[in-house]
Amino acid sequence: MDPFAIKLLGFAAATCTTVAYAPQFIKVWKTRSARDISLGMFLVMMLGLTLWLIYGLLSGDAPLVAANAVTMVLAGGILVMKLRYG
């Protein structure tokens, strides 16, 4: 398969998995309620995202780096709101 097509596939997958966090982020932001969100899940998720980001940086994988950097912002924002709003 063409390397450019593989990168496009990676960016498409990264976009889907990253954008998936946006509705939850917006809901918590609007309602100021994070009661039903698992703190443990988001702590482990942030650890995983950090490790994937490091892996992506070390391997030079642009889609992986982009996806995990943006997802860390969204998931990190949800985590902060979880700690703030409960």
Side-chain angles (χ1 to χ4, degrees):
M1 188 172 205
D2 176 44
F4 181 73
I6 293 170
K7 286 288 182 194
L8 283 179
L9 179 64
F11 276 113
T15 299
C16 291
T17 57
T18 299
V19 170
Y21 280 87
Q24 188 67 62
F25 182 91
I26 292 166
K27 183 176 181 179
V28 173
W29 179 266
K30 284 182 177 180
T31 64
R32 301 288 195 253
S33 174
R35 270 186 311 186
D36 294 333
I37 292 177
S38 168
L39 178 60
M41 180 268 189
F42 271 88
L43 289 171
V44 173
M45 177 61 74
M46 288 300 294
L47 175 60
L49 290 167
T50 301
L51 295 172
W52 273 118
L53 181 61
I54 293 167
Y55 174 80
L57 289 167
L58 293 173
S59 65
D61 190 328
L64 199 59
V65 170
N68 286 289
V70 174
T71 304
M72 282 183 74
V73 171
L74 292 170
I78 294 169
L79 179 59
V80 167
M81 289 186 282
K82 171 65 178 172
L83 295 172
R84 185 170 180 185
Y85 304 131

